[in-house]
Amino acid sequence: MGLPALEFSDCCLDSPHFRETLKSHEAELDKTNKFIKELIKDGKSLISALKNLSSAKRKFADSLNEFKFQCIGDAETDDEMCIARSLQEFATVLRNLEDERIRMIENASDVLITPLEKFRKEQIGAAKEAKKKYDKETEKYYGVLEKHLNLSSKKKESQLQEADSQLDVVRQHFYEVSLEYVFKVQEVQERKMFEFVEPLLAFLQGLFTFYHHGYELAKDFSDFKMQLTISIQNTRNRFEGTRSEVESLMKKMKENPLEHKTISPYTMEGYLYVQEKRHFGTSWVKHYCTYERDSKQITMVPFDQKSGGKGGEDESVTLKSCIRRKTDSIEKRFCFDVEAVDKPGVITMQALSEEDRRLWMEAMDGREPVYNSNKDSQTEGMAQLDIIGFNIIKKCIHAVETRGINEQGLYRIVGVNSRVQKLLSILMDPKTASETETDICAEWEIKTITSALKTYLRMLPGPLMMYQFQRSFIKAAKLENQESRVSEIHSLVHRLPEKNRQMLQLLMNHLANVAKNHKQNLMTVANLGVVFGPTLLRPQEETVAAIMDIKFQNIVIEILIENHEKIFNTMPDMPLTNAQLHLSRKKSSDSKPPSCSERPLTLFHAMQSTEKQEQRNSIINSSLESVISSNANSILNSSSSLQPNMNSSDPELDVLKPTRPSSLIPC
């Protein structure tokens, strides 16, 4: 298991679980920082002391072998596993070089020490500074909150209102600092996968040049080096894409956090102060409370803000009644009494504000709870999997395969949005859409046609591979054995409704033809997976964890393309009976996609959303293109001494820009 994702929505709740998760990320950063310091120290010893080369090299190798990467999420992609394994591979190479004589590498410091120092100071150092700011704002906010809650209700209304306003300002600032700190922590965790390993790879490449017998060893290492180079670049590309997604989500959370709250299993949760009787009076103890309406269970977790951990054992009671406390009956504000079935007496609780008390009261007295469902941001249009829809996709595919199959960057390069809208309007016109003519006239550019195809798929009420199967496809992509992945995805495809499966088969057959011409169009199976993964498997809920799963969406599409003949033309190894298959597809087709919600929108509204998303995508793509190009060239140039036949025109090494998930920005 890797590190759990830090959700921005948890910053607002600031729950004990969120704090524990944050601590695990901070511990990982500290461990990485200590390891980098040690690695830099060992590298300097290696450069300065030739007579101690053997022992320094062994220690350096041992340090690499002992360190294990921790990735965010519960599974790793093949590229991440390759990168995680790379330190052990590096250690093996260094041990094999132990008996060899080497010369001093004059530029070793610039290649290894400087980048590691830069990463440690600029990235991990920035995270530490953000933590200091976050801890300071935490102490300030809860200090102000304690004082605010202790204000007497007998004070003048104007004084109370002014105090409420001041608290809101401090709370908002604390929330913004919390979001920024969480964003920085996750950014550093993702960056280390390539900014940490890349200098080591360059350093080893320099060592090979000066070893007397290094050529044979480097030749043995070259296959893994090539694989690792591609894995690093793929990981960097995914990082650039997911980082922009996470940053976009953070900005949305800043603007309107309530609209992007995570769907919680509890009816209500948050901090409450519980009145406890002591020998010499009463005290108010801070608890993190959850309430589940169906079972009427209230769970109270005492929490000590100073220590950042639990202050005692959890307590659960069954709700009997909940009564609001009158203002003149208690010194504290925002109070209400809870009577439990399994505990004698009355439990008096204090909410954080009047609004917070209202939400708790609504949840506990049996009225409908207040939810802020995170709806799919994709705008639904009039697109359907009907005869018109199939004709539109077939016309687009026919035009691409007859006129533009060899165009470079096919499906990656985005067409002009106004022309895409116009083409879709023509194709979706009922008067002309059902015509059997498959040719789209030459006035339409190929990039306009490919953008129209992708946009139509995003306009469907739900993703083509359906929300209810989304987690199952992701789980299948995380299986370690490739044969098991194919088998599981094969079975899942045949559980899709008939129309969805037919459309998916039509699309995969076409993408397989595109991939066959990758030497001309530069669109390999991996690149097509990056483009179509977020479109066909977009998540129901926009969260950091969903963004981290984009890499597995891409793997699912790669498997579908590479194994399309087997998956679509044969039944799974353990096929369902006809009755079961019919019932499964009927249930899937009868169920409502969670984001459709009985509110069909017009094509015009869908196009407005697409236009904004295309603009954002073009900005991100332009910035990524320069970053990816420079990094790819530097890696390939450094490998040229050992790979004389490797050059930038190799389609397997062609670096294409990652595509954002379709629920946020179109490909």
Side-chain angles (χ1 to χ4, degrees):
M1 291 293 291
L3 296 173
L6 291 168
E7 296 294 348
F8 291 128
S9 57
D10 289 341
C11 293
C12 183
L13 294 174
D14 196 24
S15 66
H17 174 72
F18 169 72
R19 288 284 181 157
E20 290 296 327
T21 303
L22 189 58
K23 277 186 175 182
S24 66
H25 280 263
E26 291 170 348
E28 175 62 17
L29 286 181
D30 288 338
K31 185 175 73 171
T32 302
N33 186 45
K34 292 177 182 178
F35 176 69
I36 291 176
K37 286 183 178 180
E38 189 68 22
L39 195 61
I40 291 173
K41 178 181 177 182
D42 296 340
K44 289 180 178 178
S45 299
L46 182 63
I47 295 170
S48 61
L50 285 174
K51 62 181 180 180
N52 297 321
L53 176 61
S54 180
S55 61
K57 185 168 52 180
R58 185 180 298 109
K59 188 173 185 297
F60 189 69
D62 290 342
S63 296
L64 292 175
N65 193 52
E66 291 171 3
F67 185 77
K68 300 293 188 298
F69 279 116
Q70 290 290 335
C71 301
I72 296 176
D74 58 357
E76 299 175 348
T77 64
D78 292 340
D79 289 328
E80 288 172 338
M81 286 188 285
C82 177
I83 292 177
R85 193 177 75 250
S86 64
L87 298 187
Q88 284 69 46
E89 293 288 340
F90 295 156
T92 300
V93 171
L94 286 174
R95 290 193 187 100
N96 292 335
L97 289 171
E98 183 178 351
D99 297 328
E100 302 293 339
R101 305 277 301 185
I102 65 170
R103 296 185 299 171
M104 175 63 70
I105 304 173
E106 296 179 351
N107 63 341
S109 179
D110 294 334
V111 171
L112 176 67
I113 306 301
T114 302
L116 292 179
E117 284 280 12
K118 183 179 179 182
F119 174 76
R120 190 180 69 85
K121 292 179 180 179
E122 294 183 2
Q123 298 300 327
I124 299 181
K128 289 186 175 181
E129 290 298 321
K131 173 176 169 53
K132 291 179 182 179
K133 184 177 180 181
Y134 174 70
D135 291 340
K136 181 178 179 181
E137 289 300 323
T138 299
E139 183 178 358
K140 178 181 177 181
Y141 167 63
Y142 285 107
V144 172
L145 181 61
E146 294 273 1
K147 293 180 181 179
H148 182 72
L149 294 174
N150 287 323
L151 285 176
S152 173
S153 60
K154 297 180 181 180
K155 287 185 175 293
K156 293 181 180 181
E157 185 64 26
S158 60
Q159 292 177 324
L160 294 177
Q161 290 179 355
E162 182 179 358
D164 289 346
S165 299
Q166 292 176 350
L167 178 61
D168 287 341
V169 172
V170 175
R171 181 188 292 114
Q172 180 63 27
H173 185 61
F174 165 70
Y175 183 47
E176 292 180 359
V177 171
S178 177
L179 287 172
E180 291 171 355
Y181 177 49
V182 167
F183 172 73
K184 187 60 183 178
V185 168
Q186 296 204 103
E187 179 186 10
V188 176
Q189 294 282 29
E190 288 290 291
R191 276 184 179 276
K192 71 180 183 183
M193 292 293 287
F194 54 88
E195 289 198 356
F196 186 21
V197 177
E198 207 166 32
L200 291 169
L201 180 61
F203 176 70
L204 284 178
Q205 182 62 43
L207 287 176
F208 294 148
T209 307
F210 299 99
Y211 279 110
H212 295 295
H213 303 285
Y215 177 75
E216 291 298 326
L217 180 61
K219 191 164 62 173
D220 294 339
F221 182 73
S222 62
D223 289 340
F224 177 76
K225 183 193 68 176
M226 179 64 67
Q227 180 186 1
L228 180 58
T229 300
I230 296 172
S231 295
I232 290 174
Q233 195 59 57
N234 290 341
T235 305
R236 182 189 293 276
N237 294 346
R238 282 194 291 267
F239 164 76
E240 296 292 350
T242 54
R243 182 187 183 280
S244 60
E245 295 296 341
V246 173
E247 186 175 19
S248 175
L249 179 58
M250 182 189 71
K251 290 178 180 178
K252 290 181 182 178
M253 295 293 294
K254 281 185 177 182
E255 294 170 0
N256 199 339
L258 293 180
E259 287 188 2
H260 294 83
K261 286 179 67 175
T262 302
I263 299 175
S264 172
Y266 302 108
T267 305
M268 187 67 187
E269 61 180 317
Y271 282 106
L272 291 172
Y273 285 78
V274 179
Q275 187 181 48
E276 296 185 356
K277 294 182 180 180
R278 302 293 172 87
H279 294 293
F280 301 101
T282 61
S283 64
W284 293 85
V285 180
K286 187 177 184 179
H287 289 71
Y288 190 82
C289 301
T290 59
Y291 176 69
E292 209 279 312
R293 181 170 174 262
D294 293 337
S295 63
K296 292 186 176 293
Q297 284 291 313
I298 304 174
T299 303
M300 297 175 287
V301 182
F303 186 72
D304 184 3
Q305 194 64 50
K306 293 182 178 179
S307 65
K310 291 183 179 180
E313 295 297 325
D314 300 359
E315 181 180 5
S316 294
V317 297
T318 303
L319 177 68
K320 181 179 180 182
S321 65
C322 177
I323 303 174
R324 186 189 300 271
R325 285 295 293 264
K326 294 182 180 180
T327 305
D328 55 359
S329 67
I330 192 168
E331 184 72 15
K332 298 282 187 179
R333 304 170 68 196
F334 321 132
C335 293
F336 58 93
D337 291 335
V338 170
E339 187 176 359
V341 175
D342 45 2
K343 184 177 181 180
V346 174
I347 304 173
T348 301
M349 297 180 170
Q350 182 185 25
L352 303 183
S353 65
E354 185 62 41
E355 175 67 14
D356 192 36
R357 178 170 68 171
R358 182 184 69 79
L359 295 175
W360 280 103
M361 293 292 295
E362 286 184 356
M364 290 185 176
D365 68 6
R367 286 176 285 177
E368 288 294 326
V370 176
Y371 287 114
N372 289 288
S373 297
N374 188 1
K375 297 180 180 178
D376 191 345
S377 61
Q378 175 63 38
T379 306
E380 295 83 22
M382 300 187 308
Q384 297 293 335
L385 292 176
D386 52 11
I387 295 177
I388 294 177
F390 274 86
N391 283 339
I392 290 172
I393 298 301
K394 287 178 180 177
K395 289 177 181 179
C396 291
I397 290 175
H398 177 77
V400 172
E401 292 192 349
T402 55
R403 291 168 34 210
I405 195 71
N406 292 327
E407 282 203 13
Q408 290 190 3
L410 192 64
Y411 284 106
R412 178 176 65 86
I413 299 176
V414 180
V416 178
N417 190 55
S418 59
R419 290 184 58 79
V420 174
Q421 293 180 27
K422 184 177 179 181
L423 176 57
L424 271 176
S425 299
I426 295 173
L427 292 174
M428 296 179 69
D429 187 349
K431 297 178 181 179
T432 59
S434 60
E435 295 178 0
T436 57
E437 175 63 43
T438 58
D439 189 30
I440 299 176
C441 61
E443 69 172 286
W444 300 103
E445 296 175 307
I446 292 299
K447 64 181 181 181
T448 303
I449 297 172
T450 56
S451 294
L453 183 147
K454 292 184 294 182
T455 301
Y456 189 85
L457 292 175
R458 287 192 295 269
M459 288 166 55
L460 293 172
L464 190 60
M465 298 173 74
M466 308 195 69
Y467 288 120
Q468 50 264 55
F469 294 109
Q470 200 256 359
R471 293 307 309 164
S472 298
F473 277 113
I474 296 298
K475 185 178 179 181
K478 293 178 179 179
L479 296 175
E480 293 184 5
N481 184 274
Q482 178 68 12
E483 185 177 346
S484 300
R485 295 181 192 174
V486 176
S487 177
E488 184 65 22
I489 291 175
H490 189 182
S491 176
L492 289 170
V493 166
H494 283 267
R495 292 171 58 190
L496 292 172
E498 186 67 24
K499 289 184 178 179
N500 294 62
R501 186 172 60 83
Q502 289 177 356
M503 179 66 81
L504 189 61
Q505 180 178 4
L506 181 66
L507 187 61
M508 291 303 112
N509 289 341
H510 168 59
L511 295 184
N513 290 334
V514 173
K516 288 179 182 177
N517 294 272
H518 69 273
K519 291 186 178 180
Q520 290 76 35
N521 57 38
L522 306 183
M523 294 302 291
T524 62
V525 172
N527 292 329
L528 290 171
V530 170
V531 172
F532 280 91
T535 297
L536 303 179
L537 270 173
R538 69 175 183 267
Q540 175 186 350
E541 187 181 5
E542 183 182 350
T543 64
V544 174
I547 294 173
M548 294 303 172
D549 275 342
I550 291 175
K551 53 196 174 186
F552 295 106
Q553 296 172 6
N554 304 344
I555 292 174
V556 172
I557 305 304
E558 292 177 27
I559 291 174
L560 288 174
I561 297 173
E562 292 175 339
N563 302 273
H564 66 100
E565 292 184 357
K566 173 184 176 181
I567 290 175
F568 294 103
N569 297 331
T570 64
M571 293 299 291
D573 293 337
M574 297 180 63
L576 300 172
T577 65
N578 292 334
Q580 291 173 327
L581 188 61
H582 175 73
L583 180 61
S584 174
R585 289 175 180 168
K586 185 176 185 302
K587 287 182 178 179
S588 298
S589 60
D590 289 345
S591 62
K592 281 187 180 179
S595 65
C596 193
S597 175
E598 298 180 0
R599 52 183 182 87
L601 302 179
T602 64
L603 175 63
F604 173 75
H605 291 133
M607 291 308 162
Q608 279 188 325
S609 174
T610 304
E611 182 176 4
K612 294 178 181 179
Q613 293 173 342
E614 294 284 3
Q615 291 173 353
R616 291 173 59 196
N617 192 43
S618 63
I619 294 173
I620 292 171
N621 282 345
S622 62
S623 61
L624 290 180
E625 191 173 43
S626 60
V627 174
I628 294 170
S629 177
S630 60
N631 286 326
N633 288 334
S634 63
I635 294 175
L636 294 176
N637 290 335
S638 67
S639 306
S640 61
S641 62
L642 296 176
Q643 297 294 330
N645 295 325
M646 185 175 67
N647 56 68
S648 59
S649 64
D650 189 341
E652 294 297 330
L653 295 178
D654 183 68
V655 183
L656 298 176
K657 294 177 284 187
T659 306
R660 296 167 67 88
S662 62
S663 61
L664 299 174
I665 291 180
C667 303

